Amino acid sequence: MPTTVALLRGINLGSRRRVAMADLRGWLDELGCARVRTFLQSGNVVFDSDEPLSSLGPLIEARLADGAGFPIACVLRTAGELRAVVESDPFGDVATDGTRYLVSFRAAPAPPPAFDRADFEPERFHFGERESFFWLPDGMRNSRLLAAVAKADDGAATMRNWNTVTRLLALAETAPNGRG
């Protein structure tokens, strides 16, 4: 069975929209997913499934909405697609802190916003069709770049920091027998 990574948008960020990871694992297990593992409490799930991604995404979103009682957007990537994201790493030569280096994942391709790089220095961005990369050397809190991206975003993306992305890839590439 191919390994898939599910990135859930907007859960467990505050007192509302809470989802227990045990429930999340159970719901995916009910859908026939195997080796379901969660990472952190922010909606990162790694599992195996023979279901095509095009039908798996809507199935997961419907099951999560039923179980949680509110809609939860789900962005899926195969282990190979996540490997390609990590290997493309446009800021590996300057990003020195994985918590300040972010990747935004979209479910479907979208045109990039028309930003002028000079407007956001020293922050950097690289927009792709389904993933965008953000290097925020001074952090997220007062990032002008993230504020501009949020204003231009249609809500169809979810972000993870580089440390989480690389850890999810490691989980996705771990063989069932534990020998990666």
Side-chain angles (χ1 to χ4, degrees):
M1 278 189 199
T3 300
T4 300
V5 177
L7 306 165
L8 308 182
R9 187 172 197 279
I11 67 165
N12 295 343
L13 296 175
S15 61
R16 296 164 51 161
R17 298 183 56 88
R18 304 297 300 169
V19 176
M21 295 300 101
D23 291 341
L24 182 56
R25 288 188 297 273
W27 297 331
L28 269 70
D29 187 56
E30 290 171 11
L31 292 175
C33 299
R35 291 191 329 123
V36 180
R37 290 101 65 209
T38 55
F39 178 66
L40 302 175
Q41 298 291 313
S42 54
N44 305 298
V45 191
V46 179
F47 58 91
D48 297 341
S49 176
D50 284 327
E51 190 75 35
L53 293 188
S54 59
S55 56
L56 187 58
L59 285 172
I60 291 172
E61 287 181 348
R63 181 62 188 100
L64 297 181
D66 183 54
F70 52 85
I72 300 171
C74 177
V75 176
L76 300 176
R77 294 293 185 271
T78 65
E81 289 171 332
L82 195 59
R83 162 66 48 206
V85 168
V86 170
E87 288 176 352
S88 71
D89 186 5
F91 300 123
D93 58 334
V94 296
T96 57
D97 181 343
T99 65
R100 294 176 180 212
Y101 186 15
L102 305 176
V103 182
S104 174
F105 295 88
R106 298 184 65 79
F115 289 166
D116 184 341
R117 294 185 192 289
D119 291 341
F120 300 101
E121 287 292 339
E123 298 176 331
R124 295 187 182 188
F125 59 86
H126 172 82
F127 294 114
E129 284 189 2
R130 295 192 319 153
E131 290 88 21
S132 297
F133 299 80
F134 305 95
W135 167 235
L136 311 171
D138 297 324
M140 295 173 53
R141 178 171 286 211
N142 296 314
S143 170
R144 291 178 299 119
L145 177 56
L146 286 188
V149 167
K151 190 179 281 188
D153 185 24
D154 62 5
T158 186
M159 277 192 196
R160 299 297 186 273
N161 73 39
W162 192 252
N163 294 344
T164 298
V165 171
T166 56
R167 181 66 178 124
L168 287 170
L169 177 61
L171 284 172
E173 292 183 339
T174 300
N177 61 14
R179 287 193 240 158

